[in-house]
């Protein structure tokens, strides 16, 4: 009897999780999905790596907000799962958080390729990153069942070498960034990196939107919430040693200035 109750609770939880993902990412009516005809969409690019906790936090708690209102209708979202991975000889590569991250980066790259529509691949990536966020990423394959997806196309993409080719393409895109990325997540709106203020990306999206159609979601967002100065605490997974040293140097200089002020007071 206790076993039956446990199985019933487990089934109910899985059903609730599936219904949540479907409710969040199911597109609204065709009229609501139609982008404004008098303006192009705002370009939003996310450069990330799958096991970086900052990347997972951004995807799960911030990026998902695009789908909660009508903002996704004005955004051209591009995901690039490479981050701070490093190219080695013979087109091999290593990842900042080890082989498991290389695996999931490639799996997510395959998902984007196999299911090119945003409403198809983002729920899967969101599901995987939710498990990363909860420190349960070894259970990532459960996302197939939760979303009713066939795992075979992703497995074939990975085993055939296509996934590796996709990752090398994302490596080239990430390497070509100007200015170069300093950490992940690295968020870019209409070609402009947001640096430490990436969590406030919705304000930048709304500010960049040139359409005449009034968006309720943007009307709720204050465009005066941008930070006036860059923070010195860690805001992402840093893989570029010069960037790390530069951040440390800035912190030391700030500390020295404060000490000098204290001495002269």
């Amino acid at each position: 009897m206790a076993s039956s109750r446990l199985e019933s609770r487990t089934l109910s939880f899985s059903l609730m999780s599936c219904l949540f993902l479907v409710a969040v990412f199911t597109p609204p009516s065709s009229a609501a999905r139609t982008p404004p005809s008098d303006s192009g969409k705002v370009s939003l690019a996310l450069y990330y790596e799958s096991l970086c906790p900052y990347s997972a936090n951004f995807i799960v708690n911030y990026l998902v907000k695009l789908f909660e209102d009508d903002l996704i209708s004005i955004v051209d979202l591009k995901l690039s799962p490479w981050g701070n991975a490093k190219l080695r000889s013979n087109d091999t590569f290593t990842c900042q958080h080890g082989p498991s991250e290389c695996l999931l980066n490639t799996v997510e790259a395959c998902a984007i390729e196999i299911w090119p529509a945003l409403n198809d691949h983002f729920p899967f990536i969101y599901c995987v990153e939710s498990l990363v966020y909860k420190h349960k990423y070894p259970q990532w394959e459960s996302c197939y069942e939760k979303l009713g997806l066939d795992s075979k196309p992703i497995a074939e993409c990975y085993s055939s070498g296509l996934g590796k080719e996709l990752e090398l393409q994302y490596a080239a895109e990430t390497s070509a960034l100007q200015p170069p990325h300093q950490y992940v997540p690295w968020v870019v709106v209409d070609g402009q990196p947001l640096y430490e203020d990436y969590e406030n990306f919705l304000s930048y999206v709304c500010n960049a939107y040139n359409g005449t159609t009034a968006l309720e979601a943007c009307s709720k967002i204050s465009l005066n919430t941008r930070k006036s100065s860059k923070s010195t605490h860690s805001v992402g997974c840093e893989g570029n040693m010069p960037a790390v040293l530069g951040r440390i140097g800035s912190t030391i200089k700030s500390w020295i200035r404060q000490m000098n002020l204290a001495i002269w007071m």
Side-chain angles (χ1 to χ4, degrees):
M1 183 66 69
S3 177
S4 297
R5 285 198 297 269
L6 179 60
E7 290 177 359
S8 178
R9 291 194 189 102
T10 302
L11 179 60
S12 298
F13 177 77
S14 299
L15 181 59
M16 289 175 64
S17 299
C18 184
L19 288 175
F20 169 77
L21 290 169
V22 171
V24 171
F25 300 112
T26 297
S29 65
S30 58
R33 282 188 283 118
T34 303
S37 59
D38 59 338
S39 175
K41 293 186 177 183
V42 178
S43 171
L44 173 62
L46 170 62
Y47 299 86
Y48 72 103
E49 57 195 20
S50 58
L51 292 188
C52 170
Y54 296 94
S55 293
N57 176 59
F58 179 71
I59 291 171
V60 173
N61 295 316
Y62 293 90
L63 191 61
V64 70
K65 294 178 182 179
L66 282 173
F67 298 86
E68 294 174 355
D69 291 299
D70 57 349
L71 283 175
I72 193 60
S73 67
I74 66 165
V75 170
D76 181 13
L77 176 61
K78 177 178 175 56
L79 303 175
S80 183
W82 173 260
N84 297 320
K86 301 295 183 184
L87 285 174
R88 302 303 182 191
S89 59
N90 300 322
D91 287 337
T92 60
F93 49 85
T94 57
C95 298
Q96 186 172 17
H97 297 93
S100 292
E101 181 166 76
C102 285
L103 167 65
L104 288 181
N105 283 354
T106 306
V107 164
E108 294 186 11
C110 284
I112 296 170
E113 176 73 11
I114 300 300
W115 305 308
L118 184 64
N119 285 320
D120 292 332
H121 66 250
F122 189 81
F124 178 78
I125 292 174
Y126 175 88
C127 181
V128 173
E129 293 305 316
S130 294
L131 293 172
V132 174
Y133 183 73
K134 297 173 184 176
H135 307 289
K136 297 179 179 179
Y137 71 86
Q139 302 174 20
W140 68 270
E141 289 180 285
S142 66
C143 290
Y144 293 125
E145 183 177 356
K146 289 178 182 177
L147 297 170
L149 297 172
D150 183 2
S151 63
K152 291 181 180 178
I154 301 297
E156 291 174 359
C157 172
Y158 184 88
S159 61
S160 68
L162 174 59
K164 178 181 177 181
E165 293 179 13
L166 295 171
E167 276 296 276
L168 293 176
Q169 292 175 20
Y170 286 124
E173 291 178 7
T174 304
S175 178
L177 281 171
Q178 290 297 330
H181 85 286
Q182 299 175 14
Y183 43 79
V184 293
W186 189 253
V187 182
V188 180
V189 173
D190 275 356
Q192 300 299 316
L194 305 190
Y195 296 95
E196 291 93 336
D197 204 20
Y198 61 81
E199 290 180 354
N200 192 35
F201 78 102
L202 290 177
S203 293
Y204 292 89
V205 168
C206 288
N207 195 42
Y209 175 59
N210 293 320
T212 57
T213 303
L215 294 175
E216 182 180 355
C218 283
S219 67
K220 298 177 182 178
I221 298 173
S222 171
L223 298 181
N224 297 318
T225 57
R226 298 181 183 181
K227 300 174 184 177
S228 58
S229 60
K230 306 298 183 187
S231 60
T232 56
H233 64 277
S234 181
V235 293
C237 295
E238 296 173 320
N240 187 345
M241 186 54 67
V244 176
L245 294 177
R247 189 180 295 276
I248 293 174
S250 297
T251 302
I252 292 174
K253 290 177 182 177
S254 176
W255 177 78
I256 291 175
R257 284 196 297 268
Q258 293 175 9
M259 290 297 295
N260 288 338
L261 286 174
I263 291 173
W264 286 103
M265 288 180 64

